[in-house]
C-alpha cells in the first residue's frame, strides 16, 4: 500500500501514519478488512466509504475548477 501511495502521490507515508489512517477509516466504517493473504492485510471500501470519497472528490473538483477560473482571469 505504501508503494501504491508513493507511485500515485509522490509521498512516502511512515508506517505509523498509514496504520493510523487505516484504523480511523475502519472505525468510521469507510473500509473493512478482507481475509488476510499471507503477509498482506487487504481492505475494501464500503458503500459508505464510496459515498464519502465521491463527496470529497466532488468538493475538491469544484475547488480546483474555481481556482483555475481565477487563474485564467489574471
Amino acid at each position: 500500500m505504501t508503494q501504491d501511495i508513493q507511485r500515485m502521490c509522490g509521498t512516502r507515508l511512515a508506517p505509523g501514519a498509514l496504520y493510523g489512517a487505516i484504523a480511523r477509516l475502519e472505525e468510521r466504517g469507510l473500509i473493512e478488512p478482507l481475509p488476510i493473504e499471507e503477509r498482506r492485510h487487504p481492505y475494501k471500501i464500503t458503500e459508505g466509504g464510496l459515498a464519502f470519497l465521491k463527496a470529497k472528490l466532488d468538493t475538491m473538483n469544484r475547488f480546483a475548477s474555481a481556482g483555475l477560473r481565477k487563474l485564467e482571469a489574471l
Side-chain angles (χ1 to χ4, degrees), residues 12-27:
R12 183 156 182 83
L13 293 180
L18 179 60
Y19 296 133
I22 289 171
R24 287 188 299 278
L25 291 170
E26 192 173 358
E27 286 169 6

Side-chain angles (χ1 to χ4, degrees), residues 1 8 21-22 24-35 41-57:
M1 193 179 296
M8 289 186 327
I22 289 171
R24 287 188 299 278
L25 291 170
E26 192 173 358
E27 286 169 6
R28 294 177 184 166
L30 301 176
I31 62 170
E32 58 188 32
L34 294 172
H41 295 253
Y43 290 84
K44 76 173 198 169
I45 192 165
T46 63
E47 289 297 320
L50 286 171
F52 181 82
L53 178 59
K54 183 180 182 321
K56 288 293 182 184
L57 291 173

